């Protein structure tokens, strides 16, 4: 059951598409929606830059606070118009800490919603999707930066490989799946077939016991990687939501994502619900 949702509000520009999608999800589940906007404290190297003028630092902090306040005001107005139960909070953190901070916040909610990182447009929030996926312990709905509309559930594609993370994703996605018009279970294989389970028969039966009528689809991908196979299938079938396990781990301060996970996060064109 999803009754408490948190969304990371964009402060990089005035068009916060993630708010509209988050509101549509909250409406779908009649859930409370919390908006978090980060105001960043700048960090400067201690060597080679000399003393940074205090005025310059103050201007950067003030500008970041103003952008966060604008996002909060827009979110509050949008949720008010939608008639949602909602709250918002502006959080001040060091510029490199947003991922860890949002992951900690997300642990207190049923679902977190974040925006895909846009290549070539670096922002202070770029670490949020990956760190939240690996560190929150909760499902994460990642919204593509090209998203224009609210969430649609015309067709949901569940990516299944029999792994622990895939099983976790299926369980976390059940509230979405039970509201979907159509559900596909997609198995991407190379030429090797290890067992009957990898064909998705058992997970199909499991979903059927929840009142669903999933179609189990098998794609053999010999020439392309798993992420490309998934994206090709979802484009061909007009999938509106992808569900998948997110594989990865952290090594010291470096995030190591699995190839399929990183490929989807980089090239996704529809929302993706991931669990780790």
């Amino acid at each position: 059951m999803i009754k408490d949702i948190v969304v990371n509000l964009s402060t990089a520009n005035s068009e916060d598409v993630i708010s509209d999608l988050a509101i549509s999800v909250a409406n779908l589940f009649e859930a409370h929606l919390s908006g978090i906007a980060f105001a960043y404290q700048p960090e400067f190297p201690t060597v080679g830059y000399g003393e940074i003028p205090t005025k310059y630092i103050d201007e950067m902090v003030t500008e970041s606070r103003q952008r966060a306040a604008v996002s909060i005001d827009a979110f509050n107005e949008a949720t008010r118009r939608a008639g949602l139960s909602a709250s918002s909070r502006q959080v001040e953190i060091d510029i490199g800490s947003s991922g860890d901070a949002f992951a900690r916040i997300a642990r207190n909610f049923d679902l977190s919603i974040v925006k895909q990182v846009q290549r070539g447009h670096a922002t202070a929030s770029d670490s949020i999707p990956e760190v939240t996926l690996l560190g929150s312990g909760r499902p994460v709905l990642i919204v593509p930066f090209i998203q224009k509309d609210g969430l649609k559930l015309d067709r949901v594609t569940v990516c299944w490989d029999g792994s622990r993370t895939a099983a976790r994703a299926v369980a976390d996605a059940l509230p979405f799946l039970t509201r979907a018009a159509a559900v596909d279970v997609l198995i991407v294989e190379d030429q090797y077939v290890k067992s009957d389970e990898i064909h998705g028969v058992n997970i199909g039966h499991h979903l059927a016991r929840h009142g669903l009528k999933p179609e189990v689809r098998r794609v053999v991908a010999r020439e392309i990687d798993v992420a490309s196979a998934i994206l090709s299938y979802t484009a061909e079938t007009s999938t509106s939501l992808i569900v998948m396990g997110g594989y990865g781990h952290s090594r010291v301060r470096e995030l190591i994502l699995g190839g399929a996970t990183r490929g989807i996060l980089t090239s996704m064109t529809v929302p993706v619900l991931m669990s780790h």
Side-chain angles (χ1 to χ4, degrees):
M1 183 178 296
I2 296 175
K3 288 298 178 184
D4 204 10
I5 302 170
V6 63
V7 56
N8 173 228
L9 302 176
S10 173
T11 59
N13 54 59
S14 58
E15 295 184 4
D16 190 6
V17 297
I18 197 170
S19 288
D20 293 337
L21 186 133
I23 287 171
S24 71
V25 176
N27 271 324
L28 178 67
F29 296 112
E30 299 181 347
H32 180 87
L33 180 63
S34 297
I36 302 295
F38 288 122
Y40 295 101
Q41 298 286 342
E43 294 178 334
F44 296 101
T46 57
V47 178
Y49 276 73
E51 184 175 344
I52 305 298
T54 302
K55 180 181 178 181
Y56 178 63
I57 296 175
D58 290 343
E59 287 175 353
M60 292 179 66
V61 171
T62 299
E63 181 182 356
S64 184
R65 287 172 176 167
Q66 289 173 343
R67 288 199 301 266
V70 168
S71 294
I72 289 289
D73 289 344
F75 173 79
N76 290 341
E77 176 60 20
T79 53
R80 184 193 65 78
R81 290 197 308 267
L84 278 181
S85 170
S87 58
S88 59
R89 182 156 57 103
Q90 182 172 317
V91 179
E92 296 201 9
I93 58 170
D94 293 335
I95 201 166
S97 303
S98 57
D100 290 332
F102 192 74
R104 288 194 297 271
I105 291 170
R107 292 169 190 164
N108 301 286
F109 293 84
D110 299 319
L111 174 73
S112 64
I113 302 177
V114 302
K115 189 160 69 173
Q116 176 197 23
V117 175
Q118 186 173 1
R119 286 174 290 180
H121 296 74
T123 69
S125 61
D126 282 359
S127 67
I128 288 178
E130 296 179 5
V131 178
T132 304
L133 170 64
L134 299 182
S136 69
R138 300 288 188 168
V140 183
L141 182 63
I142 303 134
V143 182
F145 59 81
I146 63 171
Q147 185 76 20
K148 299 298 182 184
D149 303 313
L151 182 69
K152 296 179 180 178
L153 296 176
D154 299 332
R155 180 173 298 277
V156 179
T157 294
V158 177
C159 302
W160 181 253
D161 62 1
S163 66
R164 181 195 67 81
T165 57
R168 173 70 184 274
V170 168
D172 288 338
L174 279 173
F176 293 88
L177 300 179
T178 55
R179 290 167 171 81
V183 175
D184 291 349
V185 175
L186 176 64
I187 298 97
V188 179
E189 299 175 340
D190 57 18
Q191 61 269 35
Y192 300 105
V193 180
K194 297 180 179 179
S195 69
D196 291 339
E197 168 60 14
I198 205 66
H199 288 285
V201 172
N202 292 337
I203 195 65
H205 289 164
H206 170 69
L207 293 176
R209 294 182 187 110
H210 282 274
L212 305 177
K213 297 179 179 179
E215 294 287 340
V216 179
R217 306 294 186 185
R218 180 182 174 223
V219 173
V220 178
R222 294 187 179 94
E223 305 297 332
I224 59 176
D225 57 54
V226 172
S228 296
I230 293 170
L231 293 172
S232 177
Y233 177 87
T234 56
E236 291 172 0
T237 58
S238 299
T239 287
S240 47
L241 174 68
I242 297 171
V243 174
M244 63 183 291
Y247 174 77
H249 64 277
S250 59
R251 184 174 64 193
V252 190
R253 295 294 296 174
E254 182 183 11
L255 293 176
I256 310 297
L257 292 183
T261 304
R262 184 170 296 282
I264 295 295
L265 288 178
T266 300
S267 303
M268 57 189 283
T269 57
V270 297
V272 180
L273 183 70
M274 280 190 176
S275 296
H276 174 65

